Amino acid sequence: MNITEANITNNNGLLSKEEKEPVIICKDLTKKFGDFVAVDHITFEVNKGEIFGFLGANGAGKTTAMRMLSGLIYPTSGQASVAGFDVYHKQEKIKKNIGYMSQRFSLYDNLSPLENITFYGGVYGVPRKEIKERSRLLIEQLGLQNEANKLVASLPLGWKQKLAFSVAIFHEPKIVFLDEPTGGVDPITRRQFWDMIYEAASRGITIFVTTHYMDEAEYCNRITIMVDGKIEALDTPGNLKRIYNENSINDVFYKLARKATREE
Amino acid sequence: MKKLRFLLEKEFKQIFRDKSIVAMIFVLPIMQLGILPIAMDFEVKQVNIVIIDNDHSPLSSKLINKIGASGYFKLLAYEPSFRQGLEYLKSSEADIVLEIPNSFEKNLIKENAAKVNLTVDAINGTKSSMGSSYLTSVIADFNNNIQIFQNKNIVQPVIINIENSTWFNPYANYSWFIVPGILAFLLTIFAGSISATNIVREKEMGTIEQINVSPIKKWQFLLGKLIPFWVMGMIILTIGLLVGIIFYKIRPIGSIPMMYALSGIYLIALLGFGLFIATISNNQLQAMFISFFFIMIFALMSGLFTSIESMPEWARIISHSLPITYFIKALRMIILKGSSFADIQYIFVILIGYAIGLNGLAILNYRKTT
């Protein structure tokens, strides 16, 4: 329905080569913690408006890769630029242009949804007047009218995650990084969540998302499968299924992830 | 600057939603200042004494009466032998054992001199030295009266009379000394731990990562934390001063705006110290341990209870490297002595140095990208 349509249009958009405009460029990016190589020479590009999926078992290095790209940790070696800014020296410039939703719920529990939107909007420099207007609209879209002034702590997890995503893209970033955004969320809410992701992508926001739900991987324009810190495969879901001769991304993933030697 | 307003809005909302913090602002100064100074009184009021009178003479009973009437001593028991008297000292019931020898009256009349035996439990140093000096002065007084009573024509030695006059604290009231000190210590406990645990809590909750991934500047974030706690510290100071006035009648003699200025600078320094602790700890337990390690040193080395001048050289060096030492000193000077700005100018300079240094260290050590 909604999702499959959007999927097709986005895929078509990608196929026309002249529209390609990389917003994340990553070359041999590596992160070591002592002797442990969390991320091992990963190379890829993500284009503007793309939904880029990052798949991998727990401990495969997805989060570490994402944290390097969002300027939270320094890479050990390799190069990367995000929104045109180098990850070694221009992290603060990167931070202006990205949204980030971490694995852990990171809104303030003892503030209301409205107060959280206002705070994070303000931190990213959205003018107060604009915050006022748009936050009202956003609360309506999320169906949180009755909860707008209650504390976030009292919301169900699915609503919290949708709110956290809305907050992460409130300042209209070029790229949004989502680290397992739907962990522990029911299937219906996950579906709604992906509708929101498609809506954001249609506005030109690039989506970089990690997940270990294989059905979600099918929603992405392109996916990367990470095993033990290395990129094992990178293509559209359709191409991957064809290359590995499997019926679903789930089976492709099992084929590749079986090689993993790293324990969680 | 606009971003700072958003930060402050958020912090104030969170603080005043946390009932335990609001309670702390009011309960902490009232409890600590209302109760501790009364309990922590070094004045010796009741010295327990056991007397062994081997003489049983009119003069010895006169001496005993005089001791009993002095008001400092509580006569626990009369014992027939010194050994039995000593038992009271061993069991810590008595502080002093006074033994009057059997030839006391005879010697006093015949030789114009007599000896008594004073045995003092010196475990509690203050009580024992005060007690024995009270007793010595009672005996000396008794001695003078005896000589007058006997009306002997002896040449009185020239006596230099020392008249004490106590300045700034005319009744030598211990609470006057300790209340400003405890007020300073209160601000130290508050500022030294609250900023540390608050930021570390954001680390534990994971919200700090959301801050670190935003374009907010390090100094904006830290200032957003510092200002609300500074305001709370000033409220605690005000309540503390009111408790001092109402409970202890300690009305600050010196300039109150100057005292607020000094306290404001001190709070910035200590909050910076807390912020620095936050940058080096990963959880609230660590932060609490580190800050209480230092707060203990502050309490014992700052001259809060004891005199810095009587510390050994190395301890004096430590004491003079702690900001609280200067703050307590200046607070006492302003409140009790009414010292002027010129008197404590150097303390202002030192505390401003600490404020800049500690906050600078916190900003330097705080990393948005690790």
Side-chain angles (χ1 to χ4, degrees):
Chain A
M1 307 157 296
N2 190 356
I3 284 170
T4 26
E5 277 166 38
N7 208 346
I8 290 160
T9 43
N10 261 320
N11 269 339
N12 288 344
L14 268 177
L15 293 177
S16 47
K17 299 240 166 183
E18 60 276 7
E19 277 183 37
K20 269 194 182 179
E21 185 195 335
V23 285
I24 301 175
I25 304 166
C26 202
K27 195 160 181 284
D28 287 327
L29 198 65
T30 302
K31 179 72 185 181
K32 290 181 191 167
F33 296 106
D35 289 336
F36 178 75
V37 187
V39 173
D40 196 357
H41 294 87
I42 58 170
T43 302
F44 60 86
E45 286 185 4
V46 181
N47 299 309
K48 186 171 186 294
E50 194 175 10
I51 300 177
F52 191 82
F54 231 56
L55 272 64
N58 290 332
K62 293 172 298 191
T63 302
T64 308
M66 188 178 266
R67 288 166 63 84
M68 280 191 279
L69 294 175
S70 47
L72 279 171
I73 53 174
Y74 286 105
T76 310
S77 63
Q79 290 112 46
S81 80
V82 175
F85 299 107
D86 177 47
V87 291
Y88 287 94
H89 309 290
K90 299 271 188 250
Q91 308 97 343
E92 294 305 306
K93 285 262 166 56
I94 291 175
K95 287 169 185 174
K96 271 195 185 123
N97 290 289
I98 63 166
Y100 179 86
M101 181 179 165
S102 81
Q103 217 166 1
R104 296 162 76 188
F105 177 70
S106 51
L107 298 184
Y108 289 96
D109 262 344
N110 51 2
L111 294 180
S112 72
L114 210 54
E115 286 163 349
N116 267 296
I117 298 170
T118 309
F119 171 66
Y120 280 116
V123 160
Y124 282 95
V126 182
R128 203 174 275 271
K129 215 177 132 213
E130 196 186 325
I131 294 176
K132 236 178 188 166
E133 292 163 6
R134 282 179 48 213
S135 58
R136 212 165 289 279
L137 211 69
L138 181 60
I139 293 286
E140 267 170 46
Q141 281 168 358
L142 291 170
L144 287 174
Q145 290 95 328
N146 292 327
E147 283 77 16
N149 292 311
K150 290 181 190 161
L151 297 190
V152 163
S154 64
L155 294 183
L157 180 68
W159 294 20
K160 282 187 189 174
Q161 296 299 79
K162 285 197 273 183
L163 178 63
F165 177 69
S166 307
V167 167
I169 58 167
F170 191 80
H171 59 286
E172 293 291 321
K174 289 192 176 126
I175 306 154
V176 64
F177 290 91
L178 310 171
D179 195 359
E180 298 189 5
T182 53
V185 170
D186 68 79
I188 298 168
T189 314
R190 264 170 60 194
R191 194 60 185 252
Q192 292 169 342
F193 197 94
W194 275 89
D195 282 340
M196 290 172 72
I197 291 181
Y198 270 92
E199 201 274 320
S202 72
R203 277 188 280 143
I205 298 177
T206 307
I207 315 278
F208 188 106
V209 56
T210 73
T211 181
H212 48 225
Y213 291 114
M214 294 307 146
D215 58 326
E216 290 185 348
E218 308 260 7
Y219 303 155
C220 299
N221 299 136
R222 280 195 303 153
I223 51 176
T224 289
I225 296 180
M226 263 187 104
V227 179
D228 286 356
K230 294 193 184 75
I231 290 180
E232 284 296 325
L234 195 174
D235 215 323
T236 62
N239 285 346
L240 284 178
K241 282 185 274 191
R242 210 171 316 124
I243 295 164
Y244 290 93
N245 200 19
E246 297 286 356
N247 289 324
S248 67
I249 291 297
N250 205 21
D251 296 331
V252 175
F253 182 72
Y254 275 121
K255 207 171 212 174
L256 293 168
R258 217 176 291 144
K259 292 187 253 176
T261 49
R262 223 185 250 176
E263 299 273 322
E264 192 184 323
Chain B
M1 271 304 140
K2 277 184 189 155
K3 288 184 183 172
L4 189 61
R5 274 194 53 197
F6 283 102
L7 277 165
L8 290 175
E9 227 176 271
K10 167 211 162 231
E11 293 297 338
F12 274 112
K13 274 181 188 151
Q14 287 185 312
I15 287 169
F16 288 104
R17 245 163 235 181
D18 191 339
K19 298 272 182 302
S20 61
I21 294 185
V22 178
M24 192 169 88
I25 300 178
F26 293 96
V27 175
L28 208 67
I30 294 174
M31 287 281 283
Q32 292 226 348
L33 280 169
I35 294 171
L36 292 187
I38 298 172
M40 289 195 321
D41 194 337
F42 285 137
E43 214 181 313
V44 177
K45 291 210 172 86
Q46 185 189 317
V47 180
N48 296 317
I49 191 166
V50 171
I51 295 176
I52 298 115
D53 184 3
N54 294 323
D55 199 32
H56 299 289
S57 62
L59 269 182
S60 73
S61 55
K62 211 171 187 157
L63 174 64
I64 292 166
N65 282 340
K66 201 172 171 69
I67 291 168
S70 71
Y72 294 118
F73 300 98
K74 189 185 169 201
L75 278 164
L76 266 193
Y78 296 101
E79 286 296 329
S81 77
F82 181 68
R83 236 187 37 180
Q84 276 160 298
L86 213 54
E87 288 303 315
Y88 285 87
L89 218 58
K90 281 182 184 165
S91 65
S92 293
E93 281 172 80
D95 302 301
I96 294 179
V97 174
L98 173 71
E99 190 189 19
I100 302 170
N102 55 20
S103 50
F104 176 71
E105 191 180 57
K106 205 174 76 192
N107 285 351
L108 202 57
I109 291 167
K110 263 177 136 181
E111 297 166 24
N112 208 18
K115 281 178 178 165
V116 290
N117 179 16
L118 255 181
T119 312
V120 181
D121 176 2
I123 286 180
N124 184 340
T126 322
K127 201 170 184 184
S128 65
S129 65
M130 293 296 279
S132 63
S133 72
Y134 285 160
L135 194 56
T136 316
S137 70
V138 170
I139 294 169
D141 194 32
F142 173 79
N143 216 2
N144 286 340
N145 286 346
I146 290 294
Q147 288 174 352
I148 295 159
F149 164 76
Q150 289 177 322
N151 203 10
K152 287 203 171 165
N153 270 339
I154 47 165
V155 182
Q156 285 279 343
V158 181
I159 294 168
I160 299 170
N161 254 335
I162 299 169
E163 285 285 332
N164 287 314
S165 66
T166 44
W167 278 46
F168 308 124
N169 185 358
Y171 307 107
N173 199 337
Y174 187 69
S175 66
W176 283 48
F177 172 73
I178 204 72
V179 168
I182 289 189
L183 186 55
F185 187 53
L186 201 64
L187 292 178
T188 308
I189 299 178
F190 170 76
S193 60
I194 194 148
S195 54
T197 51
N198 180 281
I199 292 188
V200 173
R201 188 152 92 210
E202 289 220 22
K203 277 190 191 177
E204 287 181 353
M205 301 289 287
T207 45
I208 196 134
E209 192 161 270
Q210 208 63 43
I211 296 287
N212 287 344
V213 83
S214 80
I216 210 155
K217 303 253 186 329
K218 291 197 281 185
W219 66 264
Q220 287 173 328
F221 176 67
L222 292 178
L223 200 59
K225 292 283 178 193
L226 195 138
I227 292 172
F229 294 131
W230 186 85
V231 171
M232 288 169 69
M234 292 309 245
I235 295 173
I236 291 181
L237 172 72
T238 309
I239 296 173
L241 285 172
L242 288 175
V243 170
I245 293 171
I246 295 166
F247 284 31
Y248 303 99
K249 311 268 178 288
I250 303 172
R251 206 175 287 278
I253 302 169
S255 151
I256 289 181
M258 185 170 72
M259 187 176 59
Y260 269 85
L262 186 85
S263 306
I265 294 166
Y266 179 69
L267 277 172
I268 294 172
L270 259 279
L271 286 167
F273 173 70
L275 295 176
F276 173 67
I277 290 176
T279 63
I280 56 172
S281 1
N282 293 316
N283 56 56
Q284 291 191 69
L285 202 63
Q286 277 180 11
M288 277 312 250
F289 271 128
I290 299 174
S291 66
F292 272 92
F293 170 77
F294 283 102
I295 286 171
M296 278 303 283
I297 295 177
F298 287 176
L300 298 174
M301 305 290 285
S302 61
L304 174 55
F305 306 113
T306 50
S307 156
I308 297 166
E309 284 70 29
S310 52
M311 288 179 184
E313 180 68 30
W314 59 267
R316 255 180 292 165
I317 292 170
I318 295 174
S319 183
H320 283 120
S321 65
L322 305 175
I324 187 177
T325 307
Y326 300 99
F327 183 52
I328 289 180
K329 188 173 179 186
L331 213 53
R332 280 181 179 145
M333 284 169 79
I334 298 172
I335 293 179
L336 302 178
K337 282 191 189 174
S339 300
S340 67
F341 180 70
D343 296 324
I344 56 167
Q345 200 176 5
Y346 77 101
I347 291 180
F348 266 95
V349 173
I350 290 169
L351 289 183
I352 288 171
Y354 275 111
I356 294 171
L358 289 166
N359 283 287
L361 211 58
I363 293 176
L364 271 179
N365 207 44
Y366 176 36
R367 299 247 181 280
K368 283 184 71 190
T369 308
T370 52

